[in-house]
Amino acid sequence: MEISLRGQTTWMEVFLISRPEAALATDVLPNSEDRLAVIVPAFKSHHLRVMLESFVAQTDQRFRLYVVDDASPEDLEPIVAPFRSQLDIVYRRFPKNLGHRSPVSHWARAIDLSHESWLWVFSDDDVVSPDCVEAFWAARDIHPNGLCLYRLQADIIDESGQRIPHSIVTNYPSEQTWDQHIQALIKRNNTQLVVIQNIIFPRSLYVSQGGFEDYPKAIWTDVVTWPRWAQVAGFHTLAGGRVSFRSHAAGYTGSTLHQGGDRSQLIRLATPAFKDICALYTRVGKKPPRWGLLNWFARIFRYGSRPLSKSERIAASTSLKEIWPDWPIVRETVFWWHASRPLIRHNRGIQFLALRGMRSRPR
């Protein structure tokens, strides 16, 4: 069986693509040169082809794409196969699913398949603009020590690929420290979308920092991991390129936060993450911006803005007490202010009175 891949092809690559079940993590592509590995932990098939097409369109093809199947119930290999003649691509299927229990564990074994010195963990349903890889290599030598988080601008798209109205369109500064990143994130007019998919990072940093923070469902993993790593490396925003992050009902955050599902679990999952953000400050001898973090926590769960249900209010109040055991009066005042705003906005009686007041104004 002869398989052609773009770039140098070894007998090991051919064997592994034709017989992925025979591969061990230490066997794949022994390649340590200064190259970029795009790691795609794959599970869903619906947008996989569109994602791959966006990498075919890259103006700079200096990367190797790893599609790592997390024991998906869908057959992903036939989707990947046509791209083998267009991309330097490796497909590997694992027989045991890890993502359901810990997506971060699956990301780790996917990264272990690669040997390139630069890593970009992507997803099976997002897309990139054609100049992303080109922008990365153009900026590669800006930080000679190699310790840098290269960040792409990002936006949020829906199921059909259209930008979601009123959603965040990022405007990252060119250079940013970890503290500046958090301070910008908690501002009311935040334009700092935080996702795993828009950061390219050195393998050496990944290893030295012990990998990604492992939270259930990987919710908040990016929010804590990037500033923790940036305490060592800092952020540099690339001059070109954009990642479009897809928010839809099939995604975990889409089904809970954006599509009207029960947000109680999502709220509870925030508790350890916010405590860890505070710990980033204490470990360098700084006071965490608790006021800003408290307001950010409260604002997150009224995006959209249907009122919090009773169970969601209880979950949010309980989480806040655990994150901030002090400041009870201020904490509860801020919480109820944010919790009541959607309630007021959706109250028909208040809407009617507000409308009457607007109509009765003298022109």
Side-chain angles (χ1 to χ4, degrees):
M1 179 178 180
E2 183 177 350
I3 298 178
S4 174
L5 297 179
R6 178 170 294 183
Q8 185 177 2
T9 305
T10 67
W11 70 269
M12 181 62 77
E13 291 179 76
V14 174
F15 176 70
L16 292 174
I17 294 172
S18 60
R19 293 285 307 281
E21 70 280 1
L24 296 175
T26 56
D27 291 336
V28 180
L29 305 181
N31 185 357
S32 59
E33 72 268 26
D34 189 22
R35 294 193 62 187
L36 171 63
V38 181
I39 311 294
V40 182
F43 187 76
K44 302 181 295 293
S45 65
H46 187 53
H47 299 101
L48 181 59
R49 181 174 287 103
V50 176
M51 182 277 294
L52 292 170
E53 288 171 349
S54 73
F55 278 96
V56 170
Q58 290 302 299
T59 55
D60 191 327
Q61 289 288 317
R62 286 180 288 172
F63 63 91
R64 176 169 287 146
L65 189 69
Y66 295 81
V67 179
V68 188
D69 187 337
D70 190 19
S72 173
E74 304 172 35
D75 194 359
L76 304 184
E77 202 278 337
I79 299 175
V80 176
F83 291 91
R84 286 173 176 153
S85 61
Q86 305 172 70
L87 289 168
D88 185 354
I89 190 168
V90 173
Y91 172 81
R92 166 75 188 273
R93 176 180 172 84
F94 281 96
K96 180 180 179 181
N97 177 273
L98 285 184
H100 180 72
R101 176 180 59 84
S102 169
V104 170
S105 296
H106 179 54
W107 301 349
R109 70 178 177 180
I111 289 173
D112 286 345
L113 293 174
S114 68
H115 292 265
E116 288 77 6
S117 56
W118 289 93
L119 300 170
W120 183 5
V121 177
F122 207 65
S123 66
D124 57 14
D125 54 2
D126 300 331
V127 293
V128 290
S129 65
D131 55 338
C132 286
V133 176
E134 181 181 352
F136 165 69
W137 286 116
R140 167 64 184 82
D141 295 326
I142 288 178
H143 295 267
N145 64 2
L147 289 179
C148 183
L149 300 175
Y150 289 100
R151 181 167 55 184
L152 292 150
Q153 301 287 0
D155 57 19
I156 306 176
I157 59 175
D158 60 17
E159 177 78 21
S160 62
Q162 300 299 311
R163 192 178 79 81
I164 296 177
H166 312 299
S167 62
I168 293 175
V169 177
T170 60
N171 184 25
Y172 305 122
S174 176
E175 304 286 337
Q176 198 174 48
T177 66
W178 70 274
D179 186 27
Q180 291 169 341
H181 166 76
I182 294 177
Q183 292 288 351
L185 188 63
I186 63 182
K187 285 183 179 179
R188 182 180 178 85
N189 58 343
N190 164 44
T191 58
Q192 296 222 156
L193 181 65
V194 183
V195 292
I196 289 291
Q197 297 91 325
N198 73 329
I199 300 283
I200 299 174
F201 54 93
R203 181 184 296 274
S204 59
L205 183 62
Y206 169 80
V207 173
S208 67
Q209 294 298 303
F212 293 99
E213 295 285 346
D214 193 356
Y215 299 111
K217 305 285 188 180
I219 303 294
W220 310 109
T221 288
D222 41 15
V223 172
V224 180
T225 295
W226 296 140
R228 178 169 67 85
W229 291 10
Q231 286 186 327
V232 177
F235 294 96
H236 174 79
T237 302
L238 298 178
R242 178 172 295 275
V243 171
S244 292
F245 171 76
R246 196 181 304 272
S247 177
H248 55 103
Y252 182 75
T253 52
S255 62
T256 54
L257 186 57
H258 298 290
Q259 300 297 329
D262 184 6
R263 295 168 287 187
S264 300
Q265 184 185 11
L266 193 64
I267 292 169
R268 286 192 292 270
L269 291 177
T271 305
F274 275 73
K275 292 171 72 174
D276 287 343
I277 290 174
C278 291
L280 292 177
Y281 284 87
T282 56
R283 81 177 188 176
V284 295
K286 287 188 175 184
K287 292 183 65 175
R290 291 195 171 190
W291 176 260
L293 286 170
L294 185 145
N295 275 279
W296 181 43
F297 179 93
R299 285 201 307 271
I300 286 172
F301 300 107
R302 63 176 176 82
Y303 283 166
S305 266
R306 77 182 198 297
L308 293 172
S309 67
K310 182 178 179 180
S311 63
E312 290 168 345
R313 288 198 302 271
I314 292 172
S317 182
T318 302
S319 291
L320 285 172
K321 288 176 183 176
E322 186 175 342
I323 298 168
W324 294 287
D326 48 358
W327 298 10
I329 296 176
V330 174
R331 182 189 67 227
E332 292 301 316
T333 300
V334 172
F335 166 67
W336 285 109
W337 163 245
H338 285 288
S340 64
R341 288 181 68 183
L343 191 64
I344 293 171
R345 185 159 55 248
H346 286 262
N347 186 289
R348 292 182 179 276
I350 293 176
Q351 290 175 355
F352 174 74
L353 292 174
L355 185 61
R356 284 192 60 182
M358 291 176 63
R359 288 176 175 173
S360 62
R361 287 181 185 175
R363 294 178 180 267

